[in-house]
Amino acid sequence: MLRIHFTGEDLARTRIAPAADPLWEIALSMYRLAGRRGRAAFAAWRHRARADLARLDGLASVRQVLSPLFPAASSYFPDFLTPPDGILGLEAGVDAVLSAPRPRLRRELDKLASRTGTPSWAWGLIDGRRDAFSDLQRALRGYFETAVEPYWHDIQAMVDADRALRGRAFLDGGIDHMLASFRPTVRWRPPVMTMDHPVDRDVHLSGRGLVLIPSYFCWGAPVPLADPALPQVLVYPVERDQVLAAPRARQAHGADARLLGATRAAILRATVNGATTGELAQRHGISPSSASQHTRVLREAGLITSRRSAGNVIHTITEVGTALVETARARTPAAGRPPPR
């Protein structure tokens, strides 16, 4: 059991990460690829990812470089592989991984060695060997580009939908209401957050606050950092209301988007901050059944994602939908200005 203790200052500093974190998705997808937990839920992705890695000769680097760092037989992996910079994108995150201080590398690799063993190449990180850093950098980038990035639009869409739910909970009842919205995965009884964890431990935030990171590949219980002395994050599973589509299937969404009419385009714009079916119907002067039909078409086109919460269905625009709205806005002439010839 894991218990996270908050102070008033911690509550004020707690926030939801603004986007999916590619390094956490790498780490947790490695467990989905090799482990047993979540095997059925991720079966289609596992099949495609393994085939793509084999075709692009990525399985060798996964087996030799990454798999020993994320051992399927243990829940522990080194914290330096998931730095806070990962939320800024893959390149910023990989740079932070490669810049980890040597004393920290030694401490965390020693801990890994005591549990499952450490690959011989990884000790080169402590010695500052350039080839070791190059192997790790190449493996992280290659794995992400092959097994995660092709599905990033869908992953980010589900993360955005989750963030819309948490934001709505915060507006309805503040930080207490938002933290309570994680039930049943997380139990919130102020000032303590409790969840299942392989090791029984208490983490006192002591004014540092907590960053909550929504993740597609997180399965079951949330995942904290192993070192309680680091700035604390908690990675939690989003509701996977759709299976990650094959990349080719998603490319057809653009053709569907061109069929939007005025009402449907307006509904799409209204989902930027999340909206329920009833709110969309009222805002656009249509019946709830018509609003539901419009959102179904938008959802099937990959432009929005829908999530049920407290008796309502909340619709949130996806990255593809956002790109469509921004493109349309760029092509609309400004008021009082003639369109370009």
Side-chain angles (χ1 to χ4, degrees), residues 188-218:
W188 171 243
R189 293 184 178 178
V192 181
M193 176 186 283
T194 308
M195 68 214 73
D196 294 335
H197 193 260
V199 179
D200 188 66
R201 63 186 245 203
D202 289 86
V203 175
H204 294 267
L205 298 177
S206 304
R208 292 172 294 173
L210 182 69
V211 178
L212 294 151
I213 302 177
S215 166
Y216 178 82
F217 286 106
C218 185

Side-chain angles (χ1 to χ4, degrees), residues 53 98 107 211 246 284 290 329:
L53 287 166
L98 302 179
R107 183 172 64 251
V211 178
H284 300 287
S290 294
R329 185 176 296 143

